[in-house]
Amino acid sequence: MKRVYVNEEWCLGCHLCEYNCSFANSGEKDMAKTFLMGRQSVPRITVEEGDGICFAVSCRHCDEPLCVKSCITGALSKKDGVICVDQSRCVGCFTCVLTCPFGAVVANEGKPISKCELCVSRGGEPACVSGCPNRAIEYKEG
């Protein structure tokens, strides 16, 4: 299964992966509209920085995902190796947020939770990967 991998030695900390992710998952056709008018857009990938190192954190689509096991409504499921959220079933208990060991499931305004789904709905390469100017984020088998 293909997954997103981040090479922290190549990450510039530019946050473009976050912007591209937010835009890809916003439903907007114009990137500027994604961030205008006080709209809160939560990316499904987050750049962490510290001690001179930058790296992007997103869902690792674990083989034994604790978020799926802990979901009390079955809103989280694994399909073809990708952990997906059925927002209509999520009740916002945030158990998945608490159990994810990587901090990859986050609370989101408008929707109870948000997490990376590898841009399966748009097909092809995830937006964070295609938008990384330094190719620090790769989408490859692993």
Side-chain angles (χ1 to χ4, degrees):
M1 178 194 148
K2 282 188 164 183
R3 294 181 185 185
V4 170
Y5 293 93
V6 179
N7 182 342
E8 63 270 3
E9 293 178 16
W10 287 86
C11 182
L12 302 170
C14 65
H15 298 263
L16 283 174
C17 55
E18 295 175 349
Y19 287 103
N20 282 292
C21 175
S22 292
F23 174 54
N25 291 291
S26 69
E28 292 287 345
K29 295 185 190 258
D30 182 346
M31 184 181 247
K33 289 182 180 177
T34 303
F35 304 103
L36 290 176
M37 298 181 288
R39 296 174 90 183
Q40 183 69 24
S41 184
V42 177
R44 297 171 182 188
I45 188 167
T46 306
V47 175
E48 299 286 337
E49 302 174 56
D51 296 328
I53 297 173
C54 301
F55 57 95
V57 176
S58 68
C59 180
R60 297 181 185 200
H61 302 278
C62 303
D63 292 331
E64 300 287 330
L66 293 174
C67 60
V68 173
K69 287 183 179 178
S70 67
C71 184
I72 60 173
T73 63
L76 286 168
S77 62
K78 194 167 185 175
K79 298 172 190 159
D80 298 325
V82 179
I83 299 170
C84 298
V85 182
D86 180 347
Q87 296 288 350
S88 68
R89 296 180 74 175
C90 181
V91 294
C93 69
F94 303 124
T95 304
C96 55
V97 174
L98 296 171
T99 58
C100 175
F102 305 106
V105 183
V106 296
N108 189 356
E109 286 186 26
K111 299 176 182 175
I113 62 164
S114 179
K115 64 166 294 308
C116 171
E117 295 179 347
L118 297 175
C119 292
V120 291
S121 61
R122 81 178 213 151
E125 194 172 70
C128 60
V129 175
S130 59
C132 180
N134 211 32
R135 299 182 184 221
I137 305 173
E138 295 180 298
Y139 185 54
K140 60 184 183 181
E141 294 289 334

